[in-house]
Amino acid sequence: MTYFLRLSLLACAVAALPAALSLNVQAADKAEAAWPQRPIRLIVSYPAGGVSDVVARALGEKLTAALGQSVVIDNKAGAGGSIGLDLVAKSNPDGYTLGFSSISPLTLSPHLGKPLFDPNKDIVPVVSVMYSPVLLLATTRSTAKSFAELVAQAKAHPGEVRWATAGLASLGHIMMEQIADKAKAQITHVPYKGGGQQLNDGLSAQFEILSTNAGPAVMQHIKAGKFKALAVGAPSRLDSLPQVPTLEELGYKSANTTSLFGIFAPAGVPAPVLARINAEVNKALALPDVRQRLELTDNVPTGGKAADFAKQIEAESKANARIIQAAHIQLN
């Protein structure tokens, strides 16, 4: 091949680049506009039966109707929600794998050990869904009739009070550590992989205390006398449990927190797809039956812009870092 022929071929190839790039961009835009074209997998970071699972399935029903494609719920529990979000973070960024989780794997786990994924680079918040009050409950094995009695027992009998949570580095775990640190009490942590089995074991009195999100099953068990509510993490007392004080009222302001839940996606999902998901979830949360379903169980629908959700996560992560350091909290 002569020198001039090679130059001619190279010039032709360079000239064709803009057209090829334009075709690729057009193809990508067309694929995004057509999303979704197949079922969507929604990974729930907790076991079936808990409040997060119930809410995720309610949202899945509404999104299936709105998008014209099935939203398949896939429960992947463990490590306080980190297992599920790790699967999301490492999935293809095409909009067909999403996650439903509390923000704890992003705001707590990174400060307590090496996270499974980079919360700042591998995953993106899509939309806030709800915040859920956290109830501190005594099982029938416990003789504590109030929060003050619980603390007194934990101080008088180091390690004998067992407190079950949804897992290591979960919000309940951090609340427990903060309370134990301030009260100068030794409490034994019993971590689970989520709320379902934790509740079942609580009903059979396999430990004294549990912390869990408010939900229909929990409220039924409290009314039936199977659990006694000692305190709640919430901005104010719950209408359904007006006699139960908040942790802030009891002098534990830093432990008086709620669980914020939302939808997440792997980094790299096209912006138009993320915007569509955000819009459809906001529409679903505005529906009267969805709002009523949440509010009847003391869970508060949120919604809003993805950017605002990201700011909330960043602020809580910074606050948790200070709390964990001040309370000397470590994962064993």
Side-chain angles (χ1 to χ4, degrees), residues 81 135 179 295 325:
L135 289 165
I179 290 169
E295 291 168 354
Q325 184 176 11

Side-chain angles (χ1 to χ4, degrees), residues 34 42 46 48 57 88 92 94 107 112 128 164 169 177 189 196 270 301-302 316:
L42 180 58
Y46 309 97
R57 291 179 188 278
V88 175
N92 290 329
D94 53 12
T107 64
L112 291 167
S128 172
E177 295 285 4
H189 183 213
T302 50
E316 184 157 325

Side-chain angles (χ1 to χ4, degrees), residues 149-159 161 180 182-187:
E149 284 191 20
L150 167 67
V151 171
Q153 289 175 0
K155 293 175 72 172
H157 305 282
V161 173
K182 182 171 182 178
K184 301 297 185 287
Q186 184 180 334
I187 300 172

